[in-house]
Amino acid sequence: MNPTITTSTASSVRPAPPLPEDLSEVLKRVRMPYLRAVAPEVLATAKAQRWDPTELLRVLLAEEVRGRDEATKAARRKAAGLPAGKTFDSWRESDSSIPVPTQSALVALEWVHRGENLAITGPSGTGKTHFVEALAHRVIDAGMRVSWFTLESLTTAIGRAAVDGSTSKVLARITRAELVVVDDIGMLPTGQAAAEAFYRLVDATYERRSLAVTSNIHPSGFDSFMPTTLATAAVDRLLHHAHVIVTEGASLRHAEATTGRGVVPLT
């Protein structure tokens, strides 16, 4: 039996009595804030519905676990640096050129558990970033961590670390995440520093963590905007255990703009 946290008629009229001060202090000391928050209501419900003590304990502890899990996910979303809050709630799988079975297989996240990579390439506006960010949210929901970068922000992070000799520490911190993302590679001119930063990340994640990249240029063409030696070494490692997805079609953003769906209508 798993009773729900509902109140009796009497308790819905009168606020649940607060916890005794000494009990509240104990819960503070043992750091159970979520249990402490719901305890008055749960105890009132348990008394009114004559719950078994075991069920009462189970419900209270479940609330603490739920609260901690939600707090952990919120902290990981903030730490990940995800760009726009795009999730599968706003994703229209039928509008994407990625085959639906492929979408479903990627959403299952087995490739992340296996430490495999993902490269999504195609024209601008075909849903590459939206899909990968939605995957990143799903990874966090599954209890894992994400590190999100553009090539520019990755270059900055590695460049700062190189100044004080902490590159290895920074890479170790980045690769604590089960999924590392580098978004929109090739959109801006790339110099030697960016190429080196990208290679270092690919090398650090190789056969250890999943790396997802999005680009308007296929990885085989990365030598068109970064030094050939670094591009060849990075792409060789990137694609060794990678799922390569090619998106096609017109820009979804352009389609929304021309049909008036890109803004809220003026009144």
Side-chain angles (χ1 to χ4, degrees):
M1 178 182 177
N2 292 303
T4 56
I5 305 174
T6 57
T7 59
S8 65
T9 302
S11 62
S12 65
V13 175
R14 297 189 303 274
L19 291 176
E21 187 174 341
D22 59 340
L23 178 56
S24 182
E25 286 300 316
V26 168
L27 292 174
K28 285 182 181 179
R29 289 192 62 184
V30 298
R31 298 180 182 179
M32 290 190 169
Y34 308 102
L35 186 156
R36 183 163 57 90
V38 301
E41 192 72 20
V42 172
L43 290 171
T45 301
K47 182 177 180 180
Q49 297 182 0
R50 298 182 180 180
W51 287 2
D52 182 275
T54 303
E55 292 302 329
L56 171 60
L57 183 61
R58 181 179 292 115
V59 169
L60 287 171
L61 291 177
E63 285 297 308
E64 180 65 27
V65 170
R66 182 198 59 77
R68 292 186 183 193
D69 286 348
E70 290 304 315
T72 297
K73 290 176 186 178
R76 287 180 175 177
R77 287 187 212 287
K78 183 177 180 180
L82 303 179
K86 299 283 189 180
T87 69
F88 284 115
D89 290 339
S90 57
W91 174 255
R92 297 189 297 272
E93 65 177 20
S94 59
D95 287 350
S96 174
S97 62
I98 303 173
V100 172
T102 300
Q103 294 184 44
S104 299
L106 290 171
V107 170
L109 303 182
E110 289 301 321
W111 61 282
V112 178
H113 293 297
R114 292 191 296 264
E116 296 169 350
N117 297 334
L118 175 64
I120 301 186
T121 178
S124 178
T126 52
K128 302 183 299 295
T129 297
H130 187 158
F131 185 67
V132 173
E133 185 178 358
L135 285 174
H137 279 285
R138 193 60 63 89
V139 167
I140 292 172
D141 287 337
M144 295 179 281
R145 292 158 294 188
V146 174
S147 293
W148 185 286
F149 297 93
T150 61
L151 188 54
E152 183 179 20
S153 66
L154 175 67
T155 304
T156 299
I158 299 300
R160 287 174 178 168
V163 173
D164 60 13
S166 62
T167 302
S168 296
K169 290 182 179 180
V170 169
L171 286 169
R173 184 171 67 248
I174 292 171
T175 56
R176 280 200 291 265
E178 285 80 1
L179 174 65
V180 183
V181 180
V182 184
D183 188 35
D184 271 345
I185 296 174
M187 293 298 292
L188 296 173
T190 301
Q192 179 75 16
E196 289 181 5
F198 182 63
Y199 169 77
R200 284 181 177 275
L201 178 64
V202 174
D203 187 55
T205 58
Y206 180 61
E207 294 188 333
R208 293 182 58 247
R209 296 298 194 191
S210 290
L211 176 62
V213 301
T214 70
S215 178
N216 61 328
I217 299 171
H218 192 281
S220 62
F222 280 8
D223 59 356
S224 65
F225 61 87
M226 66 174 63
T228 299
T229 300
L230 286 170
T232 299
V235 170
D236 181 60
R237 289 164 173 78
L238 171 68
L239 297 185
H240 184 201
H241 305 294
H243 303 276
V244 180
I245 310 296
V246 179
T247 60
E248 300 173 341
S251 168
L252 299 174
R253 287 189 288 266
H254 180 72
E256 287 193 349
T258 55
T259 57
R261 291 185 293 151
V263 295
V264 176
L266 298 173
T267 58

